[in-house]
Amino acid sequence: MKSFDLGLYLVTDRDLSLGRPLEFIVEEAVKGGVTMVQLREKACSSLEFYQLGIRLKKLLKPYAVPLIINDRLDIALAVDADGLHIGQSDLPWEVARRLLGKDKILGLSVETMEQAEESNKLDIDYIGISPVFATPTKTDTFQPFGLEGVKAVSSIARHPNVAIGGINMNNAAQVMAQGANGIAVVSAISSAENPRLAAEALKNEVTG
Amino acid sequence: MKSFDLGLYLVTDRDLSLGRPLEFIVEEAVKGGVTMVQLREKACSSLEFYQLGIRLKKLLKPYAVPLIINDRLDIALAVDADGLHIGQSDLPWEVARRLLGKDKILGLSVETMEQAEESNKLDIDYIGISPVFATPTKTDTFQPFGLEGVKAVSSIARHPNVAIGGINMNNAAQVMAQGANGIAVVSAISSAENPRLAAEALKNEVTG
């Protein structure tokens, strides 16, 4: 049985980690209360992506925190990750589901209200509402949903949802108040002076 | 049973196709005698890579020319390609073989004599001797093998081999004379004014 908690979802970005190792950020984040970790790499070789995945899987296992791979189904299969997160420019969801199997977590980013409605029909496990606010880490996205958009998607979504994009201590509680099941963050943890404390503080906002 | 002919192996590069569609280059090349096609994409989205793969698979089927995917095991699985070609910075060969299955073609680039020797022990189907000559399309490689290197690798290799890197009409026959089982080309076909005639001429050099 798949069980996961979208509450506080860390999406990694080595470029935003102030030179600190990926494992340090991830372990501190998990100690601070992160409930899911997505390994997102856009520029490295397949070998390096694979090696990072293997290392994070080993690191996360004792914490029972699921490891999700961004975009690359081959890396998810190769490291036997807990799941895959795809966007609208990645492999079609039905291809991903077929190759991933029914026991793995499959997440899909929705970038418009139409895509959110469409996602209700799909055999996926959660949706990412992306982006909530404008953010420098994603430049290829549609208009931000805003708080109103999170509320609208949450009210119609059949799948659990996690909100992503520009979420931090200043707005996390507001985002959750719209009906989101969790928040995904990048720089709010990876660029924090103390990633563990940043995660703890965010977790507090999420759990109220 | 896997059967393939490394004789004249086209590796695609849309940037070197003078603005002509990928399908045009590939179909003309096959009509001119190309025996294998490798879809190589380094910058596009997973969705686009997948869609290109689906189109090439359909195109190549009537010609019974194998479609090999470069690097991306997920794309190879998703489009049910005939095989996967990996380099030294891609997924480890044993991971690729495990996920690809024994019935698919698995090719591996070797960049040094040591790697060529090592490859004899691996459960792969062919090796790429890369690069034979210096080439602007690959910048992350070791010293070119040269004609002597092709001869040395050919003489010790247990797997069939295809030579790649800077091969064209001026040197194809010489490369084959070193013991190569085939030549792989990028610009010699994709950048040719007439890709079909270019393939015919190269095929003539290969088959002597």
Side-chain angles (χ1 to χ4, degrees):
Chain A
M1 188 56 198
K2 274 177 289 199
S3 115
F4 56 94
D5 172 2
L6 292 169
L8 182 57
Y9 191 149
L10 173 68
V11 178
T12 67
D13 190 324
R14 290 190 288 160
D15 291 341
L16 295 176
S17 302
L18 313 182
R20 298 167 297 187
L22 181 64
E23 282 104 325
F24 169 79
I25 302 288
V26 169
E27 186 147 27
E28 290 297 300
V30 168
K31 285 179 178 166
V34 155
T35 57
M36 309 261 285
V37 172
Q38 181 182 133
L39 177 58
R40 184 171 185 270
E41 290 287 333
K42 287 297 180 191
C44 73
S45 72
S46 294
L47 180 59
E48 189 178 2
F49 202 160
Y50 168 75
Q51 291 166 337
L52 290 170
I54 290 286
R55 272 147 51 191
L56 288 196
K57 198 197 163 189
K58 194 174 166 185
L59 186 160
L60 292 172
K61 200 180 158 74
Y63 297 99
V65 166
L67 173 65
I68 308 294
I69 302 294
N70 180 283
D71 178 9
R72 293 286 299 268
L73 173 66
D74 49 355
I75 305 298
L77 294 172
V79 309
D80 191 26
D82 300 286
L84 177 72
H85 186 93
I86 53 175
Q88 301 285 331
S89 304
D90 299 336
L91 281 177
W93 73 270
E94 62 270 38
V95 175
R97 173 58 82 197
R98 173 168 56 83
L99 293 169
L100 202 58
K102 62 180 173 45
D103 296 334
K104 298 292 188 182
I105 302 165
L106 180 59
L108 173 70
S109 287
V110 300
E111 297 176 356
T112 65
M113 204 55 207
E114 244 179 0
Q115 291 171 3
E117 282 165 15
E118 180 68 21
S119 75
N120 278 339
K121 305 176 210 155
L122 313 182
D123 177 17
I124 55 175
D125 298 298
Y126 74 86
I127 58 171
I129 305 176
S130 170
V132 179
F133 304 112
T135 156
T137 50
K138 290 274 284 184
T139 54
D140 56 346
T141 47
F142 286 80
Q143 278 291 101
F145 278 98
L147 291 172
E148 285 305 308
V150 175
K151 188 172 184 174
V153 174
S154 298
S155 70
I156 63 121
R158 181 170 75 85
H159 301 292
N161 72 75
V162 60
I164 185 167
I167 299 174
N168 55 44
M169 279 301 290
N170 299 325
N171 53 34
Q174 276 182 299
V175 171
M176 291 301 293
Q178 310 309 309
N181 300 115
I183 56 169
V185 299
V186 184
S187 58
I189 289 178
S190 290
S191 302
E193 196 184 332
N194 186 325
R196 190 202 292 215
L197 290 182
E200 277 175 11
L202 286 162
K203 185 68 173 277
N204 215 37
E205 297 295 305
V206 167
T207 52
Chain B
M1 186 57 199
K2 275 179 288 198
S3 114
F4 58 93
D5 173 1
L6 292 168
L8 182 56
Y9 191 149
L10 173 67
V11 178
T12 67
D13 191 325
R14 290 191 287 161
D15 290 341
L16 294 176
S17 302
L18 312 182
R20 298 166 298 187
L22 182 63
E23 283 104 322
F24 169 80
I25 303 288
V26 169
E27 186 147 27
E28 290 297 299
V30 168
K31 286 180 177 166
V34 155
T35 57
M36 308 262 286
V37 172
Q38 180 183 134
L39 176 59
R40 184 170 185 272
E41 292 287 333
K42 286 296 178 189
C44 73
S45 71
S46 294
L47 180 59
E48 189 178 4
F49 202 160
Y50 168 74
Q51 290 167 335
L52 290 170
I54 290 286
R55 272 148 50 191
L56 288 196
K57 197 196 165 189
K58 194 173 167 187
L59 186 160
L60 291 171
K61 200 180 157 77
Y63 297 100
V65 165
L67 173 65
I68 308 293
I69 303 294
N70 180 283
D71 178 10
R72 293 288 298 268
L73 173 67
D74 49 355
I75 306 296
L77 294 172
V79 308
D80 191 25
D82 301 286
L84 177 72
H85 186 93
I86 53 175
Q88 301 285 330
S89 304
D90 300 335
L91 281 176
W93 72 270
E94 61 272 35
V95 175
R97 173 58 84 198
R98 173 168 57 82
L99 293 168
L100 202 58
K102 62 180 173 46
D103 295 335
K104 298 290 188 182
I105 301 164
L106 180 58
L108 173 69
S109 288
V110 299
E111 297 177 356
T112 64
M113 204 55 207
E114 245 180 359
Q115 291 171 1
E117 282 163 15
E118 180 69 22
S119 75
N120 279 338
K121 303 177 210 154
L122 314 181
D123 177 18
I124 55 175
D125 297 297
Y126 74 86
I127 58 170
I129 305 175
S130 169
V132 179
F133 304 111
T135 154
T137 50
K138 290 274 280 183
T139 52
D140 55 346
T141 47
F142 285 81
Q143 276 292 98
F145 277 98
L147 291 172
E148 285 305 306
V150 175
K151 191 173 181 173
V153 175
S154 299
S155 71
I156 63 121
R158 181 170 74 85
H159 300 294
N161 73 76
V162 61
I164 185 167
I167 299 174
N168 55 43
M169 280 300 291
N170 300 324
N171 55 33
Q174 276 182 299
V175 171
M176 291 301 293
Q178 310 309 310
N181 300 115
I183 55 170
V185 299
V186 184
S187 59
I189 288 178
S190 289
S191 302
E193 196 184 332
N194 186 322
R196 190 202 294 215
L197 290 180
E200 278 175 11
L202 286 162
K203 185 67 174 279
N204 215 38
E205 296 295 304
V206 168
T207 52

